[in-house]
Amino acid sequence: MFRLFFISIFSLFSQLAYSKKSVFMPPEASVYARDADQLYSFILNVSAVAFVLIILIIAYFGIKYRRKTLNDKTPNMSHNFALEVVWTIIPALIFFFMFGWGWKLWNQARHSPNGALEIFAEGQKWSWSFNYKSGRTSTNVVYVPVNKPVKFILSSKDVIHSLFLPAFRKKQDAVPGRYTSLWIQPNKEGEYYIFCAEFCGTGHSEMIAKLKVVSFKEYAKWLSNDPYKGLSLSAIGKKTFKTSCVACHSSDSTRKIGPGFGGLWGSTKQFTNNKSALVDETYIRESILNPNAKIVKGFPKGVMPTFKGQLSEKQIRGLVEYIKDLKE
Amino acid sequence: MSDLLGKNYINCEKGLWSWLTTLDHKRIGIMYLIAIVFFAFLGAVFSLILRYELFSAGKDFLTALQYNKVMTYHGAIMTFMVLVPGIPAVLGNILLPLQIGAKDVAFPRLNLLSWYLLILGAAIAIISLFTTGVDTGWTFYAPYSTGSAQSGTIFVVLGAFVMGLASILTGLNFIATIHQLRAKGMTFMRMPLFVWGLYATSIIQIVATPVVGITLLLLVAERVLGVGVFDPKLGGDPILFQHFFWFYSHPVVYLMVLPGMGVISEVVTAFSKKVIFGYKAIVYASVAIAGVGFLVWGHHMFVSGQSDWAGVLFSFITMFVGIPTAVKIFNWMTTLYKGSIEFRTPLLFALGFLFVFAIGGLTGLFLATLSTDMHFHDTYFVVAHFHYTMVGGAVMAVFAGLFYWWPKICGRMYNELQGQIGFAFVFIGFNVTFFPQFILGAMGMPRRYFDYLPEFEHLHAVSTVGSTIVNTGMVILFVVLYRAWKYGEIAGDNPWNATTLEWQTTSPPPHENFTKEMKVTGGPYDYA
């Protein structure tokens, strides 16, 4: 444990010494991220200087005015109007400068340019689904073209989620019952994390999606292609599993948030209402579309949300076939 | 308590019953202390469980659901059962009447009732541990809390409601006491700064707590009766919950820190043997923080979906909180200038407070500024920031106050070396725990994550080691205080040669505090 502790301290300082990017921040993937980091660095530098000054002054006073005798005489300095006015106004000016700079960037960050590519993003426990205007949908992965403004229109199916893009220095809550939005203009191709930043229950930390920034050509190709073309039903199921189910279920018999799928097919499940049923096509379909109808013993009710409207018939059939193949 | 100390509030009556039915503010303060130490122990156990789960990436010994419950209990216990009643109800109860030269608080029976309400509320909240538990986080955000969260949520929410009543009654009692029972000659501008801190705090308790009380009841009504207030499926608005919640829960951080700042003012003057610099500025700063604190709740909601303009206004007003806070820090620094500084445990905690609180305050700037908050909101940066302000602010100040007034409270002196060792553990452990979390937040690690990406592992490991050190320090400190109470040397009435009224009576004070009527002829810190 202590070895790890010292290695960590060392790696921290080496990061500080050798990093060229903004201190501690992830890579910048947009112009806005760079602008926001400039403000961040400004506040960081001002804070560091202020902090070091405060501590140095306290240390200096502490050493210089250490008690010498019990009868030390101390001056009766009750106040100094000029000094107090000065140290009220100077921080005030600095604070309001920070506010103004933050406001300016906020305006840029909150108003998407005309003609931005719009993508609907819906959060649900515990995945993100993306819906392009062309009708193309995807789960937990979203492709966007580089150097084009992209606007996500956010909503939520159940509780509050928050779309957080660290590389773009932006996040926005997805609130049930209303639309909110967040826009970015990536300037580097690559793969970036999308975290859920608003606590949304058991699978909150599994709710991680990927943003893929690609060339326009690749984007157009991805948009028009049928992801399941030429795949067997079981392969379609496997793909669906990897995007929609894996946050809570494993492909062997390990328990995650929900039961594992390995060896599930053909087994008999005991439910909380003391009934039991054979795992067949009907049971799997019901568990996907109406998950609270039958709760397996040892699992809490109400955890799994419905996937009605989110998975197509083809995907559900694929999942059934895929589960048939999974062994313990 | 031996006879060496003479007749006092501790030995004037004997037996558990005499404590449970006491109306003496000092005894009630001691009962608050015992209850809160117990709650803090519970909260700390939960914090260690969650830190060790986070020690390495991946699932270790908890499931995600268990982790979420542990995280919620840690937050809810530490906020509603430790920090909110912490300084006002423990140190405030014991010291407020003594510092203003009164026999007791204005309503002694109400004071005892507040203690029982806290215990009742805490019991209701703790019962939930034996049900399904609660997994909402201490913020109870709707519609998660009103819908799919564990059903133990109802108990914790009702418990918090009852504890809120206790808090309101304490605030009411203190305001009445300060207005009515000051000694002859003690004008408002001659009150010790700890009393001013309590006054500002009491205003917040009375004005803000009812709002959260009603909010919590609405939450229960929605959850149990299906009354649609917050859940959009029932026609409600989840952002309304956040407005209600933060209207209380933002001022509540000042509720924790203002009396703490009062303690720091007392301790810094006593151990530099010097009049406080800028008494009036500190008074106005306390009241300003309490007042402006009501107008900044929306800075918790920049990315919640509230309007962009609301965000701009809340960011602007939030900057006004920074100014009086900075002024106070400068005042304490200047008080040290040309003083006669004695490094005893209480002063070490006060200087530790300045160190930690300066970091807490400065990192607040990143969160108050609109565009940087978009990145830091709901990450570990926020977790580190509020632990620096609240643990740094409240806990450092609680220990500064406890060690400063302990000779008055029990008549005996703690062991100086042991106190300083305890301080070193808490101070170093605290910074090792929470400083890495600023970096984690900057790197993009969201808060309330049961599991995390491998690149965050090193810093989490450091943080877990720190949490072990800080908790060891807490245990050391309480053992030192307990040993002082039992075996400490007789301290004398005024071991620090301090000037406020509480040091002019015997230690421990008699049942009604003073044997003669007190008269005040000057300011509280006449050291020169």
Side-chain angles (χ1 to χ4, degrees), chain B residues 432-507:
Chain B
V432 173
T433 309
F434 292 106
F435 201 82
Q437 298 188 5
F438 283 121
I439 304 168
L440 280 170
M443 289 164 76
M445 161 96 199
R447 66 192 283 206
R448 293 171 167 176
Y449 263 30
F450 159 69
D451 191 8
Y452 51 79
L453 303 178
E455 61 238 51
F456 301 132
E457 190 167 39
H458 283 275
L459 290 165
H460 271 296
V462 175
S463 184
T464 302
V465 173
S467 72
T468 315
I469 301 173
V470 73
N471 281 296
T472 311
M474 298 278 180
V475 173
I476 293 173
L477 290 171
F478 281 113
V479 170
V480 172
L481 289 177
Y482 176 77
R483 286 180 57 87
W485 179 289
K486 275 287 199 203
Y487 316 109
E489 283 175 34
I490 304 294
D493 293 344
N494 189 359
W496 315 121
N497 293 314
T499 52
T500 37
L501 285 187
E502 75 271 26
W503 300 104
Q504 297 185 25
T505 183
T506 49
S507 295

Side-chain angles (χ1 to χ4, degrees), chain B residues 183-448:
Chain B
K184 242 186 207 136
M186 182 178 277
T187 59
F188 263 78
M189 281 301 161
R190 286 178 179 172
M191 292 196 312
L193 287 165
F194 180 57
V195 175
W196 267 111
L198 288 171
Y199 190 73
T201 302
S202 302
I203 295 171
I204 298 174
Q205 284 176 307
I206 292 181
V207 179
T209 320
V211 177
V212 81
I214 291 164
T215 311
L216 294 176
L217 285 187
L218 287 173
L219 195 161
V220 173
E222 176 162 313
R223 169 127 197 169
V224 178
L225 307 171
V227 180
V229 185
F230 305 125
D231 188 345
K233 283 201 186 94
L234 303 167
D237 183 351
I239 294 178
L240 181 66
F241 178 86
Q242 296 175 28
H243 280 294
F244 282 173
F245 182 82
W246 290 115
F247 184 79
Y248 166 75
S249 295
H250 191 76
V252 102
V253 306
Y254 301 121
L255 187 161
M256 297 162 192
V257 98
L258 279 170
M261 291 171 154
V263 172
I264 301 306
S265 298
E266 303 291 322
V267 171
V268 168
T269 50
F271 289 91
S272 50
K273 241 184 116 186
K274 190 158 161 278
V275 62
I276 190 112
F277 186 84
Y279 173 91
K280 280 192 181 167
I282 295 184
V283 167
Y284 295 139
S286 303
V287 178
I289 292 173
V292 180
F294 279 105
L295 305 173
V296 299
W297 77 88
H299 67 214
H300 296 264
M301 301 166 59
F302 288 157
V303 297
S304 68
Q306 77 176 358
S307 86
D308 290 355
W309 263 107
V312 172
L313 283 176
F314 280 120
S315 169
F316 180 70
I317 302 170
T318 301
M319 293 299 177
F320 280 100
V321 182
I323 300 165
T325 312
V327 165
K328 281 190 169 205
I329 290 180
F330 299 148
N331 278 312
W332 292 317
M333 282 165 56
T334 316
T335 304
L336 296 170
Y337 175 67
K338 290 194 171 173
S340 166
I341 302 167
E342 191 189 12
F343 287 94
R344 301 293 298 262
T345 309
L347 185 70
L348 290 179
F349 274 109
L351 298 181
F353 171 97
L354 288 179
F355 183 97
V356 168
F357 197 75
I359 296 179
L362 289 167
T363 50
L365 292 170
F366 296 85
L367 301 170
T369 304
L370 285 161
S371 69
T372 38
D373 180 70
M374 266 182 115
H375 180 66
F376 291 122
H377 177 76
D378 268 339
T379 66
Y380 263 62
F381 193 92
V382 175
V383 177
H385 163 73
F386 72 71
H387 280 90
Y388 263 88
T389 51
M390 281 189 267
V391 184
V395 176
M396 290 275 172
V398 166
F399 280 115
L402 280 177
F403 276 87
Y404 176 57
W405 280 303
W406 205 242
K408 179 55 61 185
I409 291 169
C410 67
R412 291 167 184 276
M413 187 55 87
Y414 61 87
N415 180 304
E416 184 59 40
L417 177 68
Q418 291 169 3
Q420 297 196 1
I421 291 172
F423 164 76
F425 269 84
V426 168
F427 181 74
I428 294 168
F430 174 81
N431 284 293
V432 173
T433 309
F434 292 106
F435 201 82
Q437 298 188 5
F438 283 121
I439 304 168
L440 280 170
M443 289 164 76
M445 161 96 199
R447 66 192 283 206
R448 293 171 167 176

Side-chain angles (χ1 to χ4, degrees), chain A residues 86-294:
Chain A
V86 168
W87 76 32
T88 307
I89 289 177
I90 290 178
L93 290 177
I94 298 173
F95 295 168
F96 289 113
F97 181 71
M98 288 173 186
F99 158 75
W101 192 343
W103 182 13
K104 186 177 155 244
L105 289 179
W106 169 257
N107 274 340
Q108 291 173 17
R110 304 289 294 190
H111 297 109
S112 61
N114 289 333
L117 168 72
E118 290 177 334
I119 302 171
F120 283 88
E122 188 179 52
Q124 79 168 78
K125 291 190 286 186
W126 288 282
S127 59
W128 290 104
S129 50
F130 299 95
N131 211 328
Y132 292 80
K133 283 193 176 169
S134 70
R136 175 81 153 96
T137 61
S138 68
T139 304
N140 283 342
V141 62
V142 56
Y143 279 72
V144 297
V146 68
N147 292 328
K148 289 267 183 312
V150 178
K151 180 181 178 185
F152 292 103
I153 301 169
L154 307 173
S155 60
S156 167
K157 215 174 191 178
D158 37 46
V159 299
I160 302 175
H161 302 279
S162 186
L163 190 95
F164 177 25
L165 283 156
F168 299 84
R169 312 290 186 267
K170 281 187 182 176
K171 66 170 67 70
Q172 173 62 47
D173 286 5
V175 184
R178 65 167 78 184
Y179 290 107
T180 53
S181 71
L182 177 156
W183 78 276
I184 55 172
Q185 184 160 353
N187 61 6
K188 278 193 195 74
E189 289 184 29
E191 195 178 284
Y192 303 97
Y193 283 112
I194 300 175
F195 295 121
C196 177
E198 185 62 68
F199 180 71
C200 57
T202 314
H204 174 50
S205 63
E206 307 281 324
M207 192 167 163
I208 297 176
K210 292 269 175 67
L211 173 80
K212 299 209 177 179
V213 178
V214 295
S215 67
F216 192 83
K217 221 170 130 189
E218 210 177 322
Y219 162 76
K221 196 176 136 205
W222 182 82
L223 201 59
S224 61
N225 106 35
D226 175 2
Y228 301 130
K229 197 173 176 184
L231 290 182
S232 70
L233 267 183
S234 175
I236 292 173
K238 189 172 181 180
K239 265 195 141 170
T240 311
F241 172 82
K242 282 197 169 150
T243 52
S244 299
C245 315
V246 78
C248 306
H249 301 278
S250 65
S251 59
D252 51 26
S253 58
T254 331
R255 176 189 176 134
K256 283 174 91 177
I257 290 161
F261 288 167
L264 187 65
W265 181 258
S267 66
T268 305
K269 286 277 163 190
Q270 296 289 331
F271 302 119
T272 44
N273 60 5
N274 287 324
K275 290 185 178 152
S276 61
L278 188 72
V279 174
D280 57 7
E281 288 89 346
T282 312
Y283 172 75
I284 292 175
R285 185 185 164 79
E286 184 187 52
S287 297
I288 295 170
L289 298 180
N290 187 10
N292 288 310
K294 297 192 177 85

Side-chain angles (χ1 to χ4, degrees), chain A residues 12-67:
Chain A
L12 171 66
F13 280 104
S14 55
Q15 267 177 33
L16 261 181
Y18 294 108
S19 80
K20 286 207 184 71
K21 60 189 170 63
S22 301
V23 186
F24 308 132
M25 292 296 232
E28 294 154 353
S30 68
V31 173
Y32 172 78
R34 202 188 60 223
D35 292 346
D37 280 3
Q38 272 172 1
L39 174 52
Y40 161 79
S41 301
F42 172 74
I43 303 177
L44 189 66
N45 292 336
V46 169
S47 303
V49 169
F51 178 72
V52 169
L53 278 178
I54 289 172
I55 297 307
L56 282 182
I57 291 172
I58 290 176
Y60 176 73
F61 288 171
I63 295 163
K64 180 140 193 227
Y65 303 113
R66 218 187 157 96
R67 183 166 299 176

